[in-house]
Amino acid sequence: MRAQIIGTGSCLPEKTVTNDFLSTIVDTSDEWISSRTGIRQRHISVQETTVSLSTEAARRAMEMAKVTAEKIDLIIVATCTADTLVPSTACLVQNEIGAVNATAFDLNAACAGFVFSMNVVDSMMQAGMCRTALVIGAETLSRIVDWKDRSTCVLFADGAGAVVARAAEGGVLGTTLGSDGSKGGTIYVKSRENYNPFVTEQKPTDYLFMDGGEVFKFAVKKIPEAIRETLAKAELTADDIDWYLLHQANARINESIAKRLKISIDKVPMNLDHVGNTSGGSVPILLDEANRKGLLKSGDKVVLAGFGAGLTWGVMILNWA
Ligand code: ACO
């Protein structure tokens, strides 16, 4: 038995923030942001939290899947911006939706987190350890970006996407995961400093740091390689794939990946113009958008690919139900 997606959902914060607005708080412009990244606006949380966005996305996915909360036996939330260090976001979502029979935990692999989580679910389904899983990717990155740093605050955004997956024949056709901890300094956010009684030096809280150029180079090289590796495992060619749902960090990255794979850009839907980079939320939000638009047809072969801090990367090929 493999993981088969039977419902998708997503939730974005109510407030939208345009590039023009950002140009009033940092030295930037709509022209710079849209031409360098493809982003035109993003959703930023005011009242919403990682838990509230996750819960709403989960409810929408469960409604589409026609699955009640008691049927869910596993919840994984992919996030690097949990509201609480403990308990996990997944446990808080479990309580909100009343999934009393589920085991729940978070997984942190930054922007690759959703694809990593789908791999865990798929492996547990192959091992017969679960039958109906809720997989959520959710972030409130607006809490950890420095709103005075124009090189990052224009990129990141908030939102959640969710899927319900059931153990079925078919579903996942191939997967590849990887990490390179030696490049950990490329994107990082420090956790709370140690303020125990034995530490005398008190340091201010840090915000997200990213060496954008390094991440760009890594993504355009590693993701086509990982997709090719996964295609080979599934005995498919790049042309056999109907849709490439790639992490929404930068339109130029996705265009370069399409070029390297020699596939039409029409097979690479993007929503970063209105959603921005929601890290762990990115792939499942895009998946839900594509699904609700009716883009994904039964039997379509779909690539999901994420990459980000770690560095981490993950690819999964699905046979759409
Ligand atoms: N507005 C105006 N100018 C800016 C801005 C801005 N918002 N940000 C940077 N600049 C300036 C820089 O200061 C620099 O000026 P200089 O030439 O005078 O020094 C110039 O623009 C060029 O900056 P670059 O960083 O070289 O711009 P680049 O074309 O590389 O684009 C970007 C930067 C958009 C960040 C790109 O590198 C990128 O998208 N990288 C990948 C990010 C990514 O994929 N992240 C995913 C992982 S995130 C995660 O895991 C949480």
Side-chain angles (χ1 to χ4, degrees):
M1 294 284 193
R2 306 291 300 250
Q4 188 173 55
I5 293 174
I6 55 167
T8 62
S10 59
C11 180
L12 299 172
E14 204 180 318
K15 184 169 185 58
T16 55
V17 177
T18 62
N19 292 347
D20 281 335
F21 178 81
L22 291 180
S23 71
T24 67
I25 59 169
V26 286
D27 181 14
T28 191
S29 64
D30 175 47
E31 203 284 324
W32 193 96
I33 304 169
S34 54
S35 64
R36 296 282 179 129
T37 70
I39 300 168
R40 293 184 179 278
Q41 67 169 46
R42 70 287 289 141
H43 292 253
I44 298 294
S45 297
V46 180
Q47 301 293 336
E48 299 90 347
T49 63
T50 299
V51 170
S52 72
L53 293 167
S54 298
T55 303
E56 191 49 38
R59 286 201 175 112
R60 291 173 189 174
M62 286 159 60
E63 194 180 303
M64 185 188 284
K66 298 188 176 59
V67 161
T68 56
E70 308 80 60
K71 287 269 187 256
I72 292 167
D73 51 17
L74 176 66
I75 302 174
I76 306 182
V77 179
T79 186
C80 55
T81 50
D83 303 327
T84 46
L85 288 175
V86 280
S88 66
T89 310
C91 283
L92 296 171
V93 172
Q94 175 193 26
N95 184 47
E96 288 292 324
I97 62 175
V100 289
N101 299 312
T103 301
F105 60 90
D106 288 359
L107 186 152
N108 180 352
C111 308
F114 178 76
V115 180
F116 273 49
S117 301
M118 281 297 298
N119 269 273
V120 173
V121 166
D122 183 47
S123 305
M124 287 178 71
M125 285 180 173
Q126 286 183 71
M129 291 172 70
C130 76
R131 294 194 54 78
T132 310
L134 183 58
V135 192
I136 303 169
E139 309 285 2
T140 45
L141 290 155
S142 63
R143 290 188 295 123
I144 59 163
V145 297
D146 180 353
W147 287 90
K148 294 192 182 77
D149 175 8
R150 68 177 183 174
S151 71
T152 51
C153 76
V154 304
L155 307 174
F156 295 106
D158 304 334
V163 304
V164 175
R166 71 164 176 222
E169 299 298 337
V172 177
L173 301 174
T175 64
T176 301
L177 297 183
S179 310
D180 179 0
S182 74
K183 302 272 171 29
T186 315
I187 313 171
Y188 66 86
V189 191
K190 283 192 182 162
S191 184
R192 288 176 62 140
E193 288 293 338
N194 190 344
Y195 291 145
N196 77 35
F198 314 104
V199 175
T200 47
E201 195 192 349
Q202 306 279 301
K203 295 184 202 131
T205 307
D206 266 327
Y207 294 104
L208 181 144
F209 167 85
M210 181 173 73
D211 181 341
E214 279 304 308
V215 181
F216 198 106
K217 279 187 265 171
F218 149 75
V220 299
K221 184 166 181 291
K222 182 55 79 179
I223 293 302
E225 273 173 22
I227 290 175
R228 276 198 210 96
E229 191 183 329
T230 320
L231 286 167
K233 287 175 192 165
E235 298 179 355
L236 294 169
T237 68
D239 286 336
D240 294 331
I241 301 297
D242 297 284
W243 302 108
Y244 288 82
L245 303 184
L246 311 179
H247 172 43
Q248 301 292 291
N250 188 316
R252 289 188 295 134
I253 293 179
N254 292 354
E255 284 157 10
S256 171
I257 293 170
K259 209 165 155 193
R260 286 172 191 234
L261 289 171
K262 299 188 174 63
I263 52 157
S264 162
I265 195 68
D266 296 344
K267 287 186 170 186
V268 187
M270 292 192 237
N271 66 359
L272 50 68
D273 59 325
H274 59 278
V275 177
N277 179 350
T278 55
S279 188
S282 165
V283 171
I285 293 170
L286 180 68
L287 179 63
D288 183 48
E289 229 181 68
N291 193 23
R292 282 174 197 266
K293 272 187 195 156
L295 231 52
L296 313 177
K297 304 278 185 296
S298 177
D300 275 2
K301 310 238 172 345
V302 181
V303 162
L304 308 180
F307 56 87
L311 295 170
T312 51
W313 58 94
V315 176
M316 174 173 263
I317 303 178
L318 298 170
N319 195 11
W320 196 251

